[in-house]
């Protein structure tokens, strides 16, 4: 018979939250200014993000934004009082785990349609999964947040699954 | 950016190797990326705090390395290419003022969809970030 670890890092109240919306949906107008600042900070000077003519030549109806930028276009400003000692914003309903810290573990993107400067996009984040695993450095928790981005007409333009590793 | 070269799906074969690209983030770049993404996490700009959390220095944002990987794919795919999916795992932290190499190779071609294995490694060959992308490319045989 296999010996199964009975120590759970995931409180029952957290496990019960799988599938729930992590925050109310956010709607923004994606701006060229925000997109270009992001592209410059990444070091990605592709002209389709900066120049209307280059975007047309590449087959887009207007300037597009870097594929992963949509996630940052939707980040909401928060007051300084909402920032914890580590500098991270404290959520209204943080995901409670019996762990010391959470690291960014990776991401899985589907790009369904391009996002253009000026598009109105709504993002909806759900807690997609929470699993405890046994790694070489001991047990850890894998948290998957799935965010779906849609146009005002309701068409999905992108979807991402952000993986957090907590231990 | 280098000169624009457009790859075509029917001119590629599995095993084709993408040119290597080297990225190196300055401390200023990390600061700007934090600002542009409204990310106040101290491990990306406060050395003392980063050490308190057990890091040797401030660390490069995992999503910035993801954005570099995205750019690696879209630069290669050219103006007519469209990246359809991209996934990566952040296995180890990257530090500022160090060179990191981006590599890739074609692993499958299905019509106009080309699947790439892509990854970031340090100069010693340790893979920090393995990933995979699917890119839609034009074909010469369809004009």
């Amino acid at each position: 018979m296999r010996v199964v670890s009975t120590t759970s890092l995931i409180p029952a109240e957290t496990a019960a939250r799988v599938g729930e919306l992590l925050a109310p949906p956010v709607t923004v107008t994606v701006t060229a200014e925000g997109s270009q600042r992001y592209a410059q900070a990444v070091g990605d000077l592709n002209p389709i993000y900066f120049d209307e003519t280059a975007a047309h030549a590449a087959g887009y109806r207007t300037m597009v934004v870097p594929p992963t930028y949509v996630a940052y276009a939707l980040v909401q400003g928060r007051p300084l009082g909402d920032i914890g000692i580590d500098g991270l914003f404290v959520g209204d309903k943080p995901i409670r785990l019996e762990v010391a810290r959470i690291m960014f573990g990776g991401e899985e993107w589907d790009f369904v349609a391009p996002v253009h400067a000026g598009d109105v996009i709504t993002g909806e984040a759900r807690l997609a999964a929470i699993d405890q695993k046994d790694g070489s450095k001991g047990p850890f928790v894998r948290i998957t947040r799935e965010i779906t981005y849609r146009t005002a007409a309701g068409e999905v333009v992108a979807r991402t699954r952000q993986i957090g590793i907590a231990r | 950016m280098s000169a624009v070269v457009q790859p075509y799906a029917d001119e590629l074969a599995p095993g084709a190797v993408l040119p290597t690209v080297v990225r190196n983030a300055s401390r200023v770049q990390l600061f700007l990326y934090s600002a542009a993404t409204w990310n106040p996490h101290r491990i990306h700009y406060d050395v003392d705090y980063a050490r308190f959390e057990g890091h040797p220095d401030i660390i490069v944002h995992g999503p910035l390395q993801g954005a570099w990987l995205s750019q690696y794919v879209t630069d290669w795919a050219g103006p007519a290419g469209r990246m359809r999916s991209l996934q990566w795992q952040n296995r180890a932290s990257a530090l500022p003022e160090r060179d990191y190499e981006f590599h890739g190779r074609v692993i499958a071609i299905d019509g106009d969809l080309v699947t790439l294995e892509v990854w970031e490694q340090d100069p010693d060959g340790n893979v920090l970030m393995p990933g995979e992308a699917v890119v839609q490319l034009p074909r010469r045989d369809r004009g």
Side-chain angles (χ1 to χ4, degrees):
Chain A
M1 213 177 93
R2 268 186 59 182
V3 180
V4 178
S5 165
T6 52
T7 317
S8 177
L9 303 175
I10 309 169
E13 67 188 62
T14 299
R17 294 180 57 190
V18 171
E20 102 178 16
L21 270 184
L22 288 169
V26 174
T27 300
V28 300
T29 302
V30 176
T31 67
E33 180 190 47
S35 152
Q36 290 167 1
R37 286 183 181 180
Y38 173 87
Q40 286 164 348
V42 168
D44 186 349
L45 304 182
N46 194 323
I48 60 175
Y49 310 142
F50 294 88
D51 178 50
E52 195 75 34
T53 308
H56 288 155
Y60 300 101
R61 64 173 163 77
T62 184
M63 278 189 290
V64 290
V65 308
T68 53
Y69 172 66
V70 67
Y72 303 100
L74 275 91
V75 169
Q76 297 291 286
R78 298 274 294 272
L80 288 172
D82 286 359
I83 297 178
I85 183 73
D86 52 7
L88 288 172
F89 291 119
V90 179
D92 296 330
K93 287 177 70 186
I95 298 167
R96 204 170 70 76
L97 294 170
E98 305 296 332
V99 297
R101 64 173 173 174
I102 301 181
M103 296 289 288
F104 186 77
E107 218 164 332
E108 300 170 359
W109 279 93
D110 294 317
F111 305 106
V112 182
V115 176
H116 309 83
D119 283 355
V120 175
I121 301 290
T122 298
E124 199 177 78
R126 284 182 192 279
L127 181 61
I130 238 185
D131 315 285
Q132 183 164 333
K133 302 194 180 281
D134 284 307
S136 54
K137 289 178 266 178
F140 67 93
V141 177
R142 196 169 184 275
I143 304 159
T144 309
R145 294 169 75 234
E146 182 171 78
I147 310 169
T148 305
Y149 302 95
R150 292 183 176 85
T151 62
E155 290 157 348
V156 173
V157 287
R159 200 178 290 113
T160 184
R161 287 168 293 281
Q162 299 176 338
I163 317 295
I165 303 293
R167 51 169 44 106
Chain B
M1 284 219 322
S2 50
V4 175
V5 177
Q6 180 60 58
Y8 290 83
D10 51 336
E11 292 180 348
L12 293 165
V17 174
L18 278 63
T20 300
V21 169
V22 175
R23 304 301 297 252
N24 182 316
S26 67
R27 287 163 199 277
V28 172
Q29 178 170 14
L30 297 193
F31 166 79
L32 263 188
Y33 182 83
S34 288
T37 59
W38 202 254
N39 177 347
H41 201 178
R42 285 170 74 181
I43 59 173
H44 303 304
Y45 55 86
D46 180 337
V47 179
D48 291 338
Y49 184 80
R51 289 192 178 131
F52 166 72
E53 279 213 3
H55 302 291
D57 195 347
I58 58 172
I59 61 172
V60 180
H61 313 66
L64 172 54
Q65 295 168 78
W68 284 344
L69 195 67
S70 171
Q71 181 187 353
Y72 180 64
V73 172
T74 55
D75 277 354
W76 175 78
R82 299 287 185 268
M83 183 166 63
R84 290 301 175 206
S85 68
L86 175 69
Q87 52 179 283
W88 70 85
Q89 290 170 35
N90 291 97
R91 274 194 196 156
S93 300
L95 300 173
E97 297 164 354
R98 297 203 188 179
D99 286 347
Y100 295 99
E101 299 169 0
F102 287 78
H103 294 264
R105 64 187 180 93
V106 174
I107 53 177
I109 301 163
D110 179 9
D112 56 358
L113 296 178
V114 176
T115 303
L116 306 172
E117 179 187 18
V118 286
W119 68 95
E120 178 195 27
Q121 67 180 46
D122 67 20
D124 297 327
N126 302 305
V127 175
L128 280 73
M129 191 173 67
E132 194 173 298
V134 175
V135 176
Q136 191 172 4
L137 293 180
R139 293 181 64 96
R140 294 270 194 202
D141 57 9
R142 290 182 198 162

